[in-house]
Amino acid sequence: MRKTQKRQIEETIRQMEEAHGEMKRYIEKGIVAQVEELLADCQNAAVAIGTLIENTEGEEHPAVTVLEEYCELVYQIYEYLSSDSSVNANKIYKSLRQKLIKASNSIRNDIKIRTEAVFLPYKASMWDSLESVWKAADADPDCDAYVIPIPYFDKNPDGSFKEEHYEGNQYPNYVPITRYDAFDFGKHMPDVIYIHNGYDDWNLVTSVHPDFYSRNLKNYTEELVYIPYFVLGEIDPDDEQAAEGMKHFCFMPGIINADKVIVQSENMKKVYIREYLKAAKKYGLTGKHLDRTYLEKKFLGIGSPKFDKVLNTKKEDLEIPDEWLKIIKKPDGTWKKIVFYNNSIGALLQHNEKMIAKIKFTFEIFKKNRDEIALLWRPHPLIESTLTSMRPQLWEAYREIRDQYLLEGWGIYDNSSDVDRAVVLSDAYYGDMSSVVQLCQKKGMPVMVQDVSVIEKALYEKNLNEYVKVSIEDAVIYEDAVWFITNTFNSLYSMNILTGETRLEGFFPNETYSGQRLYESMQLIAHKIYFIPFYAKTIAVFDIRKKQFSTIEFEEKRLGCKLDKALFGGSKVYGKYLFMFPEFSKVIIRLNTEIDKADYISGWDEEVRRICFNEDVYFRRQVACKGNKLMLPFCNANAVMELDCDTLEYQIYRLGTEKRGYSGICFDGEQFWLSSRTNGSLVQWNPNTNYAKIMELDQNNDVQTLYLYVGIVCCQKEIRIFPSIKREYAKTENEQIVLQEGIYTFVEDKNHMLLYFRNDIGHLVIVNKEDGSQFEIEIKVRYKDINKRRMIREAAGNVCESEILHVRNMLDMLQEE
């Protein structure tokens, strides 16, 4: 029996109990006609209940027998009342009540609830986002599960509907399909409805039939459940910049109207709740939409069914078309390695003709390697409808590539609805970032996200003795060499300043080769280089004279965060002490480099937490030094900490109430200058008076970033600002202020020298602060010194293509395995 039916029965029995009480009062008053009318009502109700139970549970159900006895008792009382007016009201009331209680107990204990679950997929290719939930419901003997594919439409540019699509005949044979126009939702009133399209009329390209918008489905079920048809790359819930990029997934009609939203992980649940709350406030929703306790129950981070499908499907279970096998099999019968190549809608719309050229070049690479590698090309299924609607000319260029690929026939073209088959069949993934990437990562296969700009043939035929540019975030000068590490892999290099020759010095111990941003800053003390851990888990030390690495471990419990977080960014040397400034850690560390003993400076985080305006990192790279005092600007608050290097006492200064935060600081001999992190302003600050003067820069470009400047320095009486993104020239009335041209990763003041790295051209610049002279070095490493195959294998299933690491390297790796 359905839950709603049982609830109706229970409500009817409650009304019958009330009628028994009314009968007792009427009998006591001698109003027999009213009693007879209530008896008839109760008998009709009992007959209706019994008929419903017979239809759902069978004629032999014990509750039916009791209800028949109840009806017989009602008939006897009716006859008795008509023949004798002197009746005992209490006796009649008790006899009816006892019989009804017996029937009620049987209904409660002997009737099992049957649930009706309805699944409403719209595209067959997205069925995997619901399948494992449907399988569980279908296997439940007390659940009736219906799969009802619903129609959808492509849209014209003006938003009107084009042709209707219905894919009910494209589902696996083991999935029983019910036609959407053969199911009466009003009659069935399913207990739960599952949907995987939450856009309703918000999507510009497609729309499910309006009858199946979430706001309409709410009228036909007690529980509407939304499960996204996609999975996203996992992000840190505290990473607001990453959350900003996915906020549109967290607030849409299907999510607003749903009673439950199932997302892929607990971390994603946190992001969804936070972004939902922000949007709900912005758009004026009230009540439960702003109740965090309610939302904690609404959003469930229990995993995506898409993961279940991929992990539970084996290659030997797949039905592979004969035309595919002709491409996959070698002449000796063995299989080639298979690479899943995917193109997304977003990348095509963003890069237009550049992406067309990238696809052509990719096909050239795979065609040359077709004897060992089979290409399985599976573009996003909505590319045609999207491009014809939004970019007709781009569609013509894309269609020409597709038709040529099909004509030549050397690779697989998969336009089927079964994306999971492609994932399970493949040995590696190459292409645009999409939800498919997450499935491939779950399977454990190598993943490389393509870069549209990497199409020069020379990159794929590079001489191993050639050099390639790399990006760095810090460097030190020792004698006649620059020492540096890269952002993207685990290696320490030295470069001779005079000859430009680069030498691979070694690898950081206890860290993976493919580790990115292991260390963000480095400091030279005597003949040792200290590396401050960002994503590394220990402080690393390299003795230049002995050519040896060592490590210094933390007292993990005192850090205030897990070791998988970004730990420390900036650093400063003061005599024998090395100070390290935290990103997410709750302590500043002072390391005595003579005895490798650390002091943990804490407590300040509780004070600044009351004035911070977001959950961002505490500090960036730059600090300023004035005597024995360090001045540390906060990223997440309009404040600066003054720290005594000797006593470790600190004081926090507040600088206004605007949501600005700071990325850098410098001292001009009289006062401090701070570069704002989130807008183009500068702050001139005197700590003696705590007066802060705001200077707005005149800039032409609109800025949308959480990290505008990497820092600011004072050199030759100029205040130089270093942008992290491409900027138009900024002007103020103060000619002392100069915005450096280019894009930078860091700027540091070290031993009367300024070091900064211009990332757009790959040059490290060394400036003599005394006379302003400067020397530029192109930072590069020998191509053969980079273990590209190891990087791909160790990168946890996610490598971004670059000039250093490209698809040719992936193909080499696959062929060697």
Side-chain angles (χ1 to χ4, degrees), residues 454 459 462-473 484-489 493 495 500 502 743 745 757-764 776-786 788 791 800-806:
V454 182
L459 294 175
K462 188 173 291 294
N463 186 321
L464 293 180
N465 289 316
E466 290 183 8
Y467 285 94
V468 292
K469 296 177 182 179
V470 292
S471 180
I472 65 173
E473 291 199 57
F484 63 90
I485 58 175
T486 77
N487 294 344
T488 51
F489 53 94
Y493 292 94
M495 174 185 283
T502 303
I743 301 172
T745 58
F757 184 71
R758 185 170 169 182
N759 199 44
D760 54 330
I761 59 175
H763 284 195
L764 177 69
E776 291 192 24
I777 306 171
E778 184 181 34
I779 297 298
K780 55 188 179 180
V781 300
R782 190 172 282 110
Y783 194 64
K784 69 178 182 180
D785 289 336
I786 305 171
K788 295 165 283 296
M791 286 177 66
C800 292
E801 188 176 27
S802 66
E803 293 185 8
I804 295 175
L805 201 64
H806 44 72

Coordinates of all heavy atoms in Angstrom, one line a residue, residues 454 459 462-473 484-489 493 495 500 502 743 745 757-764 776-786 788 791 800-806:
V454 N 48.4 25.5 -27.3 CA 49.5 24.6 -27.5 C 49.2 23.8 -28.8 O 48.7 22.7 -28.8 CB 49.7 23.6 -26.4 CG1 50.9 22.7 -26.6 CG2 49.9 24.4 -25.1
L459 N 56.6 22.0 -30.6 CA 56.5 21.6 -29.2 C 56.4 20.1 -29.1 O 56.8 19.5 -28.1 CB 55.2 22.2 -28.6 CG 55.2 23.7 -28.5 CD1 53.9 24.2 -27.9 CD2 56.4 24.2 -27.5
K462 N 60.3 18.5 -29.9 CA 61.3 19.3 -29.2 C 62.6 18.4 -29.0 O 62.5 17.3 -28.6 CB 60.8 19.8 -27.9 CG 61.8 20.8 -27.2 CD 61.1 21.3 -26.0 CE 60.0 22.3 -26.3 NZ 60.4 23.5 -27.0
N463 N 63.7 19.1 -29.3 CA 65.0 18.5 -29.0 C 65.2 18.4 -27.5 O 65.0 19.4 -26.8 CB 66.1 19.4 -29.6 CG 67.5 18.7 -29.5 OD1 67.8 18.1 -28.4 ND2 68.3 18.9 -30.5
L464 N 65.6 17.2 -27.0 CA 65.7 17.0 -25.5 C 66.7 17.9 -24.9 O 66.7 18.1 -23.7 CB 65.9 15.6 -25.2 CG 64.8 14.6 -25.5 CD1 65.2 13.2 -25.2 CD2 63.5 15.0 -24.8
N465 N 67.7 18.4 -25.6 CA 68.7 19.3 -25.1 C 68.3 20.7 -25.1 O 69.0 21.6 -24.6 CB 70.0 19.1 -25.8 CG 70.7 17.8 -25.6 OD1 70.7 17.3 -24.4 ND2 71.1 17.1 -26.6
E466 N 67.1 21.0 -25.7 CA 66.7 22.4 -25.7 C 66.2 22.8 -24.3 O 65.9 22.0 -23.4 CB 65.6 22.6 -26.7 CG 66.0 22.5 -28.1 CD 64.9 22.7 -29.1 OE1 63.8 23.1 -28.7 OE2 65.1 22.5 -30.3
Y467 N 66.0 24.1 -24.1 CA 65.5 24.6 -22.9 C 64.1 25.1 -23.0 O 63.6 25.5 -24.1 CB 66.3 25.9 -22.4 CG 67.7 25.5 -21.9 CD1 68.8 25.5 -22.7 CD2 67.8 25.2 -20.5 CE1 70.1 25.2 -22.2 CE2 69.1 24.9 -20.0 CZ 70.2 24.9 -20.8 OH 71.4 24.6 -20.3
V468 N 63.3 25.0 -21.9 CA 61.9 25.5 -21.9 C 61.8 26.5 -20.7 O 62.4 26.3 -19.7 CB 60.9 24.4 -21.8 CG1 60.9 23.5 -23.1 CG2 61.2 23.5 -20.6
K469 N 60.9 27.4 -20.9 CA 60.6 28.4 -19.8 C 59.8 27.7 -18.8 O 58.9 26.9 -19.1 CB 59.9 29.6 -20.4 CG 60.7 30.5 -21.4 CD 59.9 31.6 -21.9 CE 60.7 32.4 -22.9 NZ 59.9 33.6 -23.4
V470 N 60.0 28.1 -17.5 CA 59.2 27.7 -16.4 C 58.8 28.9 -15.6 O 59.4 29.9 -15.6 CB 59.9 26.6 -15.6 CG1 60.1 25.3 -16.3 CG2 61.3 27.2 -15.0
S471 N 57.7 28.7 -14.8 CA 57.3 29.7 -13.9 C 57.8 29.4 -12.5 O 57.8 28.3 -12.0 CB 55.7 29.8 -13.9 OG 55.3 30.8 -13.0
I472 N 58.2 30.5 -11.8 CA 58.7 30.3 -10.4 C 58.0 31.3 -9.5 O 57.4 32.3 -10.0 CB 60.2 30.5 -10.3 CG1 60.6 31.9 -10.7 CG2 60.9 29.5 -11.2 CD1 62.1 32.2 -10.5
E473 N 58.1 31.1 -8.2 CA 57.5 32.0 -7.2 C 58.5 32.6 -6.2 O 58.1 33.3 -5.4 CB 56.3 31.3 -6.5 CG 55.1 31.1 -7.4 CD 53.8 30.9 -6.6 OE1 53.4 31.7 -5.8 OE2 53.2 29.8 -6.8
F484 N 66.4 28.2 -7.8 CA 65.0 28.4 -7.9 C 64.3 27.0 -8.0 O 64.9 26.0 -8.3 CB 64.6 29.2 -9.2 CG 65.0 28.6 -10.5 CD1 64.1 27.8 -11.2 CD2 66.2 28.9 -11.0 CE1 64.5 27.2 -12.4 CE2 66.6 28.4 -12.3 CZ 65.7 27.5 -12.9
I485 N 63.0 27.0 -7.7 CA 62.1 25.8 -7.9 C 61.0 26.2 -8.8 O 60.6 27.4 -8.9 CB 61.6 25.2 -6.6 CG1 60.8 26.3 -5.8 CG2 62.8 24.7 -5.8 CD1 60.2 25.8 -4.6
T486 N 60.4 25.3 -9.5 CA 59.2 25.6 -10.4 C 57.9 25.5 -9.6 O 57.8 24.8 -8.6 CB 59.2 24.7 -11.6 OG1 58.7 23.4 -11.2 CG2 60.6 24.6 -12.2
N487 N 56.9 26.0 -10.2 CA 55.5 25.9 -9.6 C 54.9 24.5 -9.9 O 54.0 24.2 -9.2 CB 54.6 26.9 -10.2 CG 55.0 28.3 -9.9 OD1 55.8 28.5 -8.9 ND2 54.5 29.3 -10.6
T488 N 55.4 23.8 -10.9 CA 54.6 22.7 -11.4 C 55.2 21.3 -11.1 O 54.5 20.3 -11.4 CB 54.4 22.8 -12.9 OG1 55.7 23.1 -13.5 CG2 53.5 24.0 -13.2
F489 N 56.5 21.2 -10.7 CA 57.0 19.9 -10.4 C 58.1 20.0 -9.4 O 58.7 21.1 -9.2 CB 57.4 19.1 -11.7 CG 58.4 19.9 -12.6 CD1 59.7 19.7 -12.5 CD2 57.9 20.8 -13.6 CE1 60.6 20.4 -13.3 CE2 58.7 21.5 -14.4 CZ 60.1 21.3 -14.3
Y493 N 66.7 23.7 -9.0 CA 67.7 24.1 -10.1 C 68.6 25.2 -9.6 O 68.2 26.1 -8.8 CB 66.9 24.5 -11.3 CG 66.1 23.5 -12.0 CD1 64.8 23.3 -11.7 CD2 66.7 22.6 -13.0 CE1 64.0 22.3 -12.4 CE2 65.9 21.7 -13.6 CZ 64.6 21.5 -13.3 OH 63.9 20.5 -13.9
M495 N 71.1 28.2 -11.7 CA 71.4 28.7 -13.0 C 72.6 29.7 -12.9 O 72.6 30.6 -12.1 CB 70.2 29.5 -13.6 CG 70.6 30.2 -14.9 SD 69.2 31.2 -15.6 CE 68.2 29.9 -16.3
G500 N 74.3 31.3 -18.1 CA 72.9 31.0 -18.3 C 72.7 29.5 -18.3 O 71.5 29.0 -18.6
T502 N 71.7 26.0 -16.9 CA 70.9 25.5 -15.8 C 71.3 24.1 -15.4 O 71.5 23.2 -16.2 CB 69.4 25.5 -16.2 OG1 69.1 26.9 -16.5 CG2 68.5 25.1 -15.0
I743 N 53.2 40.9 -16.1 CA 52.4 40.1 -15.1 C 53.5 39.4 -14.3 O 54.4 38.7 -14.8 CB 51.6 39.0 -15.9 CG1 50.5 39.7 -16.8 CG2 50.8 38.1 -14.9 CD1 49.8 38.8 -17.7
T745 N 54.7 37.0 -10.6 CA 54.4 36.0 -9.6 C 54.9 36.4 -8.2 O 54.3 36.0 -7.2 CB 54.9 34.6 -10.0 OG1 56.3 34.7 -10.1 CG2 54.3 34.1 -11.3
F757 N 59.8 38.3 -10.5 CA 59.7 37.4 -11.7 C 58.5 37.8 -12.5 O 57.4 37.9 -12.1 CB 59.5 35.9 -11.3 CG 59.5 35.0 -12.4 CD1 60.6 34.7 -13.1 CD2 58.3 34.4 -12.8 CE1 60.6 33.8 -14.2 CE2 58.3 33.5 -13.9 CZ 59.4 33.2 -14.6
R758 N 58.9 38.2 -13.8 CA 57.9 38.6 -14.8 C 57.4 37.4 -15.5 O 58.1 36.9 -16.4 CB 58.4 39.7 -15.7 CG 57.4 40.2 -16.6 CD 57.8 41.4 -17.4 NE 56.9 41.7 -18.5 CZ 57.0 42.7 -19.3 NH1 58.1 43.5 -19.3 NH2 56.1 42.9 -20.3
N759 N 56.2 36.9 -15.2 CA 55.8 35.6 -15.6 C 55.4 35.6 -17.1 O 55.5 34.6 -17.8 CB 54.6 35.2 -14.8 CG 54.3 33.7 -14.9 OD1 55.2 32.9 -14.8 ND2 53.0 33.3 -15.1
D760 N 55.0 36.7 -17.7 CA 54.5 36.8 -19.0 C 55.7 36.6 -20.0 O 55.4 36.1 -21.2 CB 53.8 38.1 -19.4 CG 54.5 39.3 -19.0 OD1 55.3 39.2 -18.0 OD2 54.3 40.3 -19.6
I761 N 56.9 36.9 -19.6 CA 58.1 36.6 -20.5 C 59.1 35.7 -19.9 O 60.1 35.4 -20.5 CB 58.7 38.0 -20.9 CG1 59.2 38.7 -19.6 CG2 57.8 38.8 -21.7 CD1 60.0 40.0 -19.9
G762 N 58.8 35.2 -18.6 CA 59.7 34.3 -18.0 C 61.0 34.8 -17.6 O 62.0 34.1 -17.5
H763 N 61.1 36.1 -17.2 CA 62.3 36.7 -16.8 C 62.4 37.0 -15.3 O 61.4 37.5 -14.7 CB 62.5 38.0 -17.5 CG 63.0 37.8 -19.0 ND1 63.5 38.8 -19.7 CD2 63.0 36.7 -19.8 CE1 63.8 38.4 -20.9 NE2 63.5 37.1 -21.0
L764 N 63.5 36.6 -14.7 CA 63.8 37.0 -13.3 C 64.6 38.3 -13.4 O 65.6 38.4 -14.1 CB 64.6 36.0 -12.5 CG 65.0 36.3 -11.1 CD1 63.8 36.4 -10.2 CD2 66.0 35.3 -10.6
E776 N 68.5 41.1 -16.0 CA 67.4 40.2 -16.3 C 68.0 38.8 -16.7 O 69.0 38.8 -17.5 CB 66.5 40.7 -17.4 CG 65.7 41.9 -17.0 CD 64.6 42.3 -18.0 OE1 64.2 41.3 -18.7 OE2 64.2 43.4 -18.0
I777 N 67.4 37.8 -16.2 CA 67.7 36.4 -16.5 C 66.5 35.7 -17.0 O 65.5 35.7 -16.3 CB 68.3 35.7 -15.3 CG1 69.5 36.5 -14.7 CG2 68.8 34.3 -15.7 CD1 70.0 35.9 -13.4
E778 N 66.6 35.0 -18.1 CA 65.5 34.2 -18.6 C 65.6 32.8 -17.8 O 66.5 32.1 -17.9 CB 65.6 33.9 -20.1 CG 64.4 33.1 -20.6 CD 64.5 32.8 -22.1 OE1 65.6 32.7 -22.6 OE2 63.5 32.8 -22.7
I779 N 64.5 32.6 -17.0 CA 64.5 31.3 -16.3 C 64.0 30.2 -17.1 O 62.9 30.2 -17.7 CB 63.5 31.5 -15.0 CG1 64.1 32.5 -14.1 CG2 63.4 30.1 -14.3 CD1 65.4 32.3 -13.5
K780 N 64.9 29.2 -17.3 CA 64.5 28.1 -18.2 C 65.2 26.8 -17.6 O 66.2 26.9 -16.9 CB 65.0 28.4 -19.6 CG 66.5 28.7 -19.7 CD 66.8 29.2 -21.1 CE 68.3 29.6 -21.2 NZ 68.7 30.1 -22.5
V781 N 64.7 25.7 -18.0 CA 65.3 24.4 -17.6 C 65.4 23.5 -18.9 O 64.7 23.7 -19.9 CB 64.5 23.7 -16.6 CG1 64.3 24.5 -15.3 CG2 63.1 23.3 -17.1
R782 N 66.4 22.6 -18.8 CA 66.6 21.7 -19.9 C 65.4 20.7 -20.1 O 65.0 20.1 -19.1 CB 67.9 20.9 -19.8 CG 68.3 20.2 -21.0 CD 69.7 19.6 -20.9 NE 70.7 20.6 -21.1 CZ 71.5 21.1 -20.2 NH1 71.4 20.6 -19.0 NH2 72.4 22.0 -20.5
Y783 N 64.9 20.5 -21.3 CA 63.7 19.7 -21.5 C 63.9 18.3 -21.0 O 63.0 17.7 -20.5 CB 63.4 19.7 -23.0 CG 62.1 19.2 -23.4 CD1 60.9 19.9 -23.0 CD2 61.9 18.1 -24.2 CE1 59.7 19.5 -23.3 CE2 60.7 17.6 -24.5 CZ 59.5 18.3 -24.1 OH 58.3 17.9 -24.5
K784 N 65.1 17.8 -21.2 CA 65.3 16.4 -20.8 C 65.4 16.2 -19.3 O 65.3 15.0 -18.8 CB 66.6 15.9 -21.4 CG 67.9 16.5 -20.8 CD 69.2 15.9 -21.4 CE 70.4 16.4 -20.8 NZ 71.6 15.9 -21.5
D785 N 65.5 17.2 -18.5 CA 65.5 17.1 -17.1 C 64.2 17.0 -16.5 O 64.0 16.8 -15.3 CB 66.3 18.3 -16.5 CG 67.8 18.3 -16.7 OD1 68.3 17.2 -17.0 OD2 68.4 19.4 -16.7
I786 N 63.1 17.1 -17.3 CA 61.8 17.1 -16.8 C 61.2 15.6 -17.0 O 61.1 15.2 -18.2 CB 60.9 18.1 -17.5 CG1 61.5 19.5 -17.3 CG2 59.5 18.1 -16.9 CD1 60.8 20.5 -18.2
K788 N 58.4 13.9 -17.7 CA 57.1 14.2 -18.1 C 56.1 13.1 -17.8 O 55.0 13.2 -17.4 CB 57.1 14.6 -19.5 CG 57.8 16.0 -19.7 CD 58.2 16.2 -21.2 CE 59.3 15.4 -21.7 NZ 60.6 15.7 -21.0
M791 N 55.2 12.9 -14.2 CA 54.3 14.0 -13.9 C 52.8 13.6 -14.2 O 51.9 13.8 -13.4 CB 54.7 15.3 -14.6 CG 55.9 16.0 -14.1 SD 56.3 17.4 -15.0 CE 54.9 18.5 -14.7
C800 N 47.3 19.8 -16.6 CA 46.9 20.8 -17.6 C 48.0 20.9 -18.6 O 49.2 21.0 -18.3 CB 46.8 22.2 -16.9 SG 45.3 22.3 -15.8
E801 N 47.6 20.8 -19.9 CA 48.6 20.8 -21.0 C 49.4 22.2 -21.0 O 48.8 23.2 -20.7 CB 47.8 20.7 -22.3 CG 48.8 20.5 -23.5 CD 48.0 20.2 -24.8 OE1 46.8 20.6 -24.9 OE2 48.6 19.5 -25.7
S802 N 50.6 22.1 -21.4 CA 51.5 23.3 -21.4 C 52.6 23.0 -22.5 O 52.6 22.0 -23.1 CB 52.1 23.6 -20.1 OG 53.0 22.5 -19.7
E803 N 53.4 24.0 -22.6 CA 54.6 23.8 -23.5 C 55.5 22.7 -23.0 O 56.2 22.1 -23.8 CB 55.3 25.1 -23.7 CG 54.5 26.2 -24.4 CD 55.3 27.5 -24.7 OE1 56.6 27.4 -24.4 OE2 54.8 28.5 -25.1
I804 N 55.5 22.5 -21.7 CA 56.4 21.5 -21.1 C 55.7 20.1 -21.2 O 56.4 19.1 -21.5 CB 56.6 21.9 -19.6 CG1 57.5 23.2 -19.5 CG2 57.4 20.7 -18.9 CD1 57.7 23.7 -18.1
L805 N 54.4 20.1 -20.9 CA 53.7 18.8 -20.8 C 52.5 18.9 -21.7 O 51.6 19.6 -21.5 CB 53.3 18.6 -19.4 CG 53.0 17.2 -18.9 CD1 54.2 16.4 -18.9 CD2 52.4 17.2 -17.5
H806 N 52.6 18.0 -22.8 CA 51.5 18.1 -23.8 C 51.1 16.6 -24.2 O 51.6 15.6 -23.6 CB 51.9 18.8 -25.0 CG 53.3 18.5 -25.5 ND1 53.6 17.3 -26.1 CD2 54.5 19.2 -25.4 CE1 54.9 17.3 -26.4 NE2 55.4 18.5 -26.0

